[in-house]
Amino acid sequence: MKRVFSGVKPTGHLTLGNYLGAMRQWAEVDQHRADALFCVVDLHALTVDHDPARVRRLSRQAATLLLAAGLDPRLCTLFVQSHVDEHARLSYVLECVATDGEMRRMIQYKEKAARERERGGSVRLSLLTYPVLMAADILAYGTDEVPVGDDQAQHVELTRDLASRFNQRYGQAFVVPRATHPPVGARVMNLQEPTSKMGKSDDSGPGIVYLLDEPDVVRKKVMRAVTDSGREVVYDREERPGVANLLEILAACTGGNPRALADVYASYGALKKDTADAVVEVLRPVRARHQELCADPVFVEGVLRDGAERARAMARPVVDAAYRAIGLLPAVAEPALNAAR
């Protein structure tokens, strides 16, 4: 079986975009067709100013929502990144292969660093180097495929470059992975700013549908979504981004085609109503299952503990081999206590 790896960052409450763009695909397809690992990448949440208690709280919530979305620990490995030391071990080795220029060309670094400077804040070094940690997340497991949204494609390309460069310089140590994308809903846009991604770290709450929003809140947000000038419902991502976003969300929720759906509607109001109904129904079982899991925290903790043990067993041989290949002296095992007596 092919090996698949992907993760979510606990920097905010998970959104409809996270679900339609990634989580549903993981649950309905990826965990059934591959040896799949899914990770709450909490180390990545430390690249900007943060509240430690909130990171812990959101990490638990993200893991619980992944289970609520349908990830089955009998079929896949679900764990928290910081619970497996091999991620940090491999990250430094890959930093010794990456270049400063590669890091500074990362689009997300440019955007986030610019926003941080505009606020008068300082940019943490980890914000520059976190794409290398992301590469370590992927390469530690011999990953074949990385299901990601369009905005993460550049990071997977960096991972491919680092794996190939390491293999050429030091010997074959890593599988060179490739990115995969779901056909519809790969990038759900903000309902109030349809040219911007519906990101969980954004401040514009009215444009973001969170997975744990109450149905009435979901309906209100969708019904107030920004549309475009004109009266016709047309699917045109460039000229009509607001309507195109609603059509893509409806298509992702119902299994339809956004261009075909555009021909069904004569008004924006009808499109918004059906989209709101579809989103509420898609999220209903996720919210119900999340409530059940919150009442059984011991189960969630057991899943994460067992997942970390399985992940560690997979990653350690790969990382140890990379250490040897790059020239690090293997650690000498301590003799058993009984043998010394």
Side-chain angles (χ1 to χ4, degrees), residues 120-320:
S122 58
V123 179
R124 299 187 181 191
L125 178 61
S126 56
L127 184 62
L128 178 67
T129 60
Y130 92 91
V132 179
L133 176 57
M134 184 182 294
D137 298 338
I138 296 166
L139 297 179
Y141 297 99
T143 302
D144 298 294
E145 296 180 1
V146 188
V148 292
D150 295 339
D151 59 319
Q152 294 294 334
Q154 187 185 32
H155 289 149
V156 180
E157 284 305 308
L158 173 68
T159 301
R160 290 171 53 84
D161 291 343
L162 295 180
S164 297
R165 189 179 307 154
F166 189 102
N167 290 345
Q168 291 167 2
R169 290 181 181 176
Y170 305 112
Q172 192 70 29
F174 301 120
V175 174
V176 180
R178 66 183 184 90
T180 59
H181 308 277
V184 173
R187 195 174 192 192
V188 176
M189 312 304 279
N190 190 298
L191 294 174
Q192 293 297 317
E193 301 175 22
T195 58
S196 301
K197 177 186 172 185
M198 186 184 285
K200 58 183 178 295
S201 302
D202 292 345
D203 297 325
S204 51
I208 305 170
V209 175
Y210 296 105
L211 297 187
L212 296 179
D213 278 346
E214 295 289 341
D216 288 347
V217 174
V218 173
R219 293 183 194 280
K220 184 180 295 184
K221 289 180 177 180
V222 176
M223 294 303 295
R224 292 179 177 176
V226 168
T227 49
D228 312 290
S229 59
R231 295 176 179 273
E232 292 182 294
V233 177
V234 178
Y235 180 70
D236 186 331
R237 171 56 75 182
E238 297 299 323
E239 299 296 326
R240 304 278 187 90
V243 173
N245 188 37
L246 290 170
L247 288 167
E248 288 190 356
I249 292 172
L250 179 59
C253 289
T254 61
N257 178 282
R259 293 190 183 279
L261 285 169
D263 296 333
V264 174
Y265 293 95
S267 70
Y268 293 161
L271 171 61
K272 288 182 175 182
K273 180 181 182 303
D274 283 0
T275 302
D277 289 343
V279 172
V280 167
E281 288 308 310
V282 160
L283 297 185
R284 191 184 304 279
V286 178
R287 294 181 67 253
R289 178 59 177 151
H290 176 266
Q291 191 171 9
E292 294 175 359
L293 290 166
C294 285
D296 190 5
V298 174
F299 172 76
V300 177
E301 291 169 2
V303 168
L304 296 179
R305 182 179 59 251
D306 294 345
E309 290 178 1
R310 290 200 300 271
R312 196 175 300 114
M314 284 185 263
R316 183 163 294 169
V318 176
V319 177
D320 285 349

Side-chain angles (χ1 to χ4, degrees), residues 316-336:
R316 183 163 294 169
V318 176
V319 177
D320 285 349
Y323 267 47
R324 290 192 298 271
I326 205 169
L328 297 178
L329 188 66
V332 178
E334 293 184 11

Side-chain angles (χ1 to χ4, degrees), residues 13-29:
H13 299 288
L14 295 179
T15 72
L16 177 67
N18 297 123
Y19 181 71
L20 295 180
M23 295 163 63
R24 186 173 64 173
Q25 170 83 8
W26 300 348
E28 295 181 356
V29 178

